[in-house]
Amino acid sequence: MKPSSVEKYKTSCAAVGIAPNSFITKGLEKQILHIRATKLQPEEWKPVMKCLENNSMLSQVIIEATVPAQCAYVKRTTSPSFTLAVKNQLMKSLASCLICSSVIKKLSVIYVPLKKTQLEFLTRGLSRNTSLDFLCLKGSVLGHKAFGEIFSVVRKSLNLTHIDFSHCKLSGESCSLIGALLRSQTLERHTQTWKHTLRYNNPDTSSANGLKRITLNGNPIGDEGCEIITTALQDDYWIKALDLQQCEITDEGAKMFLVMLEDNASVSVLDLRLNSRIMDANLLGKVNELLERNGQHDTEHYINGELPVAKTKKVIRTKKTPRRSISNINLRNSLNESRTSKKVTSYESYYNSVLNKSVVKNIEHISDISLKNEKDKFSPILIHQTPPKARTSSTKSIEEKQIFSMLDELKNDLEVYKKELYVEKERTKALERKVNDLERENLFLKKQQHEQSTDLEPELLETIETSFSQFHNFLDMLKQAGYGDLCQLVTK
């Protein structure tokens, strides 16, 4: 009988002569190996790798190189023990675990920038695994080149249902690979569905394997990437959720998704939060209506991903108070209304409180004095007790309205200038691309011309030499025939 993951880890720690890590031990009791690289000491890595190597009992592996998001207020530090050699050995052990395991379901490598050799180990393990359904490489596969290396494996893995490539510096060019992935999986799943159902008489889309959720948060894909993704999803029946937070998407990209959702009835979650360039709330409302329509017919339940936590100091709550949820689409309008209402009502509440206090004081004072006339009951003490600010409330409210109107105008002007700036930036980028293309073409033509000239030079020399040799042979023949005088004239 094979030893359990906990026993294997404890024996490895005993062999090195250290105490087992309590956090890792608690996770291994649930068949989850959670490695926090910033917390491990150099001597603790060897038992962890021994536990991971050829382990066929783990159901989930998490490798983190930074502090989790919920502890963002803690200062992030890099561990000196997490060296390049440790990363190589860790990825090698992970690859062996993926190859031999048939029960592992989730793999998360978070903020561990992978080099070429480490990517090779990881791709080798992923290509031979058939049980993994969730792959998270958040902040680990940086750039289009690294993404292309891992893409070839992900494209062929139909067992994966959710991939997360958040904060991987992917651009619109990388979305072309994602579009190819969606098209190839759509074709494969069409084939599977055709086999299980009699030529689409009663197609069951949920039975087919393949991706159902794609997370690309924090990647500057822009509207170019949106166009590629929406084109690939136009005839797709299996993708259920797309997470695109902080992807520099504008209103044009949102319109592309709106057109796609009019024909696509499978996507029920489209997370476009934290895209500050999307200004049209009505457009988001239409997108939300189509998503709700698709969600009613969806048998599986999908929800929006979590928002990133801002770096703030730790707050200790004494009482648990329920939090009010605000709609994503009407967030801007509701916040503006709440701010204006608070500012307007704050003065009224202040004046009322001051007036009530003055009334109470005056009543107590009046009760002690016997008044002769009824006019004295309403003495002008109340007028003297009222604060001077209360008499200028109307003028202040008018000034506030003017200030708010000016702020609204400034906000509108700012949005217009932002859009113009964005258009100008895109134009300059297009011109720079054209200049780069022309320079590359010029270099290519120069190189080609140089190669052709170098190729022709030896041929020309050979022809010249042969022509000179033939001419001298002709002169020798003339001398032998008795035309020596003629040869001397020719040489002269």
Side-chain angles (χ1 to χ4, degrees):
M1 185 176 178
K2 289 184 178 180
S4 64
S5 300
V6 180
E7 293 174 354
K8 190 175 180 181
Y9 175 63
K10 288 182 177 179
T11 53
S12 301
C13 290
V16 180
I18 60 172
N21 191 306
S22 59
F23 179 78
I24 294 175
T25 306
K26 287 179 183 178
L28 289 174
E29 291 173 357
K30 302 174 184 178
Q31 299 302 330
I32 298 172
L33 178 59
H34 192 167
I35 302 170
R36 294 189 292 186
T38 54
K39 302 291 183 180
L40 293 182
Q41 299 298 323
E43 62 273 9
E44 291 181 314
W45 279 108
K46 192 173 181 180
V48 170
M49 293 176 188
K50 285 286 184 183
C51 177
L52 181 61
E53 188 176 358
N54 296 323
N55 194 324
S56 59
M57 292 176 284
L58 294 173
S59 63
Q60 184 177 0
V61 177
I62 304 170
I63 302 171
E64 281 184 319
T66 57
V67 178
Q70 59 267 25
C71 300
Y73 55 86
V74 181
K75 187 177 180 181
R76 297 188 176 187
T77 56
T78 56
S79 176
S81 64
F82 199 42
T83 59
L84 183 62
V86 172
K87 285 183 185 178
N88 291 336
Q89 188 62 35
L90 183 63
M91 290 297 118
K92 191 174 181 180
S93 302
L94 179 61
S96 65
C97 175
L98 291 170
I99 291 169
C100 71
S101 177
S102 60
V103 296
I104 186 169
K105 296 294 182 183
K106 296 181 180 181
L107 173 62
S108 300
V109 183
I110 302 170
Y111 292 113
V112 182
L114 300 177
K115 303 294 182 182
K116 187 177 180 181
T117 54
Q118 298 152 15
L119 281 171
E120 288 175 358
F121 287 131
L122 182 60
T123 51
R124 188 190 307 167
L126 290 173
S127 61
R128 297 175 63 180
N129 182 273
T130 57
S131 63
L132 201 69
D133 59 8
F134 173 70
L135 176 63
C136 175
L137 296 175
K138 183 177 180 180
S140 300
V141 182
L142 301 178
H144 177 70
K145 189 176 180 181
F147 179 69
E149 294 181 6
I150 203 78
F151 165 76
S152 58
V153 178
V154 176
R155 184 175 182 176
K156 298 175 184 177
S157 300
L158 289 175
N159 51 296
L160 288 172
T161 59
H162 183 190
I163 57 174
D164 186 353
F165 287 97
S166 300
H167 303 282
C168 288
K169 299 181 181 180
L170 304 182
S171 59
E173 186 182 2
S174 305
C175 287
S176 60
L177 298 178
I178 296 171
L181 167 67
L182 293 172
R183 285 191 292 272
S184 64
Q185 289 215 352
T186 300
L187 183 62
E188 184 68 27
R189 289 191 275 200
H190 271 297
T191 307
Q192 288 183 10
T193 309
W194 183 83
K195 288 180 181 179
H196 290 97
T197 60
L198 187 58
R199 299 197 179 187
Y200 291 100
N201 286 337
N202 292 309
D204 184 13
T205 57
S206 61
S207 62
N209 296 326
L211 286 175
K212 293 185 179 179
R213 184 164 196 155
I214 299 174
T215 303
L216 299 172
N217 296 331
N219 292 303
I221 62 173
D223 295 338
E224 182 184 356
C226 292
E227 185 178 1
I228 297 169
I229 292 172
T230 51
T231 305
L233 291 176
Q234 200 74 34
D235 300 322
D236 188 89
Y237 300 98
W238 292 273
I239 297 295
K240 303 294 182 183
L242 283 171
D243 300 309
L244 299 172
Q245 297 179 19
Q246 293 178 325
C247 290
E248 298 184 5
I249 300 172
T250 65
D251 290 335
E252 294 297 324
K255 287 177 184 176
M256 295 175 192
F257 281 110
L258 179 63
V259 174
M260 182 269 292
L261 288 170
E262 289 175 353
D263 298 328
N264 186 298
S266 63
V267 177
S268 59
V269 171
L270 178 61
D271 195 351
L272 296 176
R273 292 176 292 177
L274 302 180
N275 287 290
S276 58
R277 295 182 181 177
I278 300 178
M279 304 292 183
D280 195 348
N282 295 327
L283 180 62
L284 289 176
K286 293 177 182 178
V287 170
N288 195 27
E289 288 176 2
L290 293 175
L291 292 172
E292 289 177 357
R293 179 204 66 185
N294 295 347
Q296 291 175 357
H297 304 290
D298 195 4
T299 56
E300 300 180 13
H301 184 60
Y302 290 88
I303 59 173
N304 284 329
E306 295 181 356
L307 288 169
V309 180
K311 294 182 179 181
T312 55
K313 293 184 179 180
K314 188 175 180 180
V315 178
I316 301 172
R317 294 195 174 196
T318 54
K319 295 182 181 179
K320 293 183 178 180
T321 56
R323 297 180 180 178
R324 291 181 292 177
S325 61
I326 301 173
S327 175
N328 179 30
I329 296 167
N330 298 323
L331 180 61
R332 190 185 299 274
N333 296 331
S334 61
L335 284 174
N336 291 333
E337 289 174 3
S338 63
R339 285 172 185 170
T340 54
S341 63
K342 283 179 182 178
K343 287 182 179 179
V344 172
T345 55
S346 61
Y347 293 106
E348 294 177 359
S349 61
Y350 170 74
Y351 298 144
N352 291 331
S353 63
V354 173
L355 286 171
N356 289 331
K357 290 178 182 178
S358 64
V359 168
V360 170
K361 288 181 180 179
N362 291 332
I363 289 170
E364 292 176 353
H365 180 68
I366 290 167
S367 61
D368 297 334
I369 301 171
S370 59
L371 300 174
K372 296 180 180 180
N373 299 325
E374 292 182 357
K375 294 181 180 180
D376 296 331
K377 292 180 182 179
F378 302 97
S379 62
I381 299 173
L382 286 173
I383 298 172
H384 293 295
Q385 289 290 333
T386 55
K389 292 184 179 179
R391 293 196 295 271
T392 59
S393 60
S394 59
T395 57
K396 285 196 174 183
S397 61
I398 294 168
E399 291 176 358
E400 287 175 357
K401 288 179 181 179
Q402 292 176 354
I403 291 169
F404 290 142
S405 63
M406 290 172 64
L407 286 173
D408 292 334
E409 291 177 0
L410 289 172
K411 285 180 181 178
N412 294 330
D413 293 338
L414 182 62
E415 291 174 0
V416 172
Y417 292 144
K418 279 184 178 178
K419 289 181 180 179
E420 291 178 357
L421 180 62
Y422 176 72
V423 171
E424 290 296 328
K425 283 183 178 178
E426 292 296 325
R427 286 178 184 172
T428 53
K429 284 181 181 178
L431 291 172
E432 287 176 358
R433 288 173 192 163
K434 287 183 180 179
V435 171
N436 292 331
D437 293 337
L438 291 172
E439 288 179 353
R440 289 173 188 168
E441 188 177 358
N442 189 17
L443 289 172
F444 177 74
L445 291 172
K446 284 183 179 179
K447 187 177 180 181
Q448 191 175 8
Q449 185 179 2
H450 179 69
E451 290 177 353
Q452 290 177 357
S453 63
T454 52
D455 292 339
L456 290 174
E457 281 180 0
E459 294 178 0
L460 289 171
L461 291 172
E462 287 179 1
T463 54
I464 291 168
E465 287 177 358
T466 52
S467 62
F468 270 111
S469 63
Q470 288 175 2
F471 179 70
H472 284 294
N473 291 333
F474 177 69
L475 292 176
D476 293 337
M477 288 173 62
L478 289 175
K479 287 179 181 179
Q480 291 176 2
Y483 297 101
D485 298 334
L486 182 62
C487 292
Q488 288 177 0
L489 290 173
V490 171
T491 54
K492 288 180 182 180

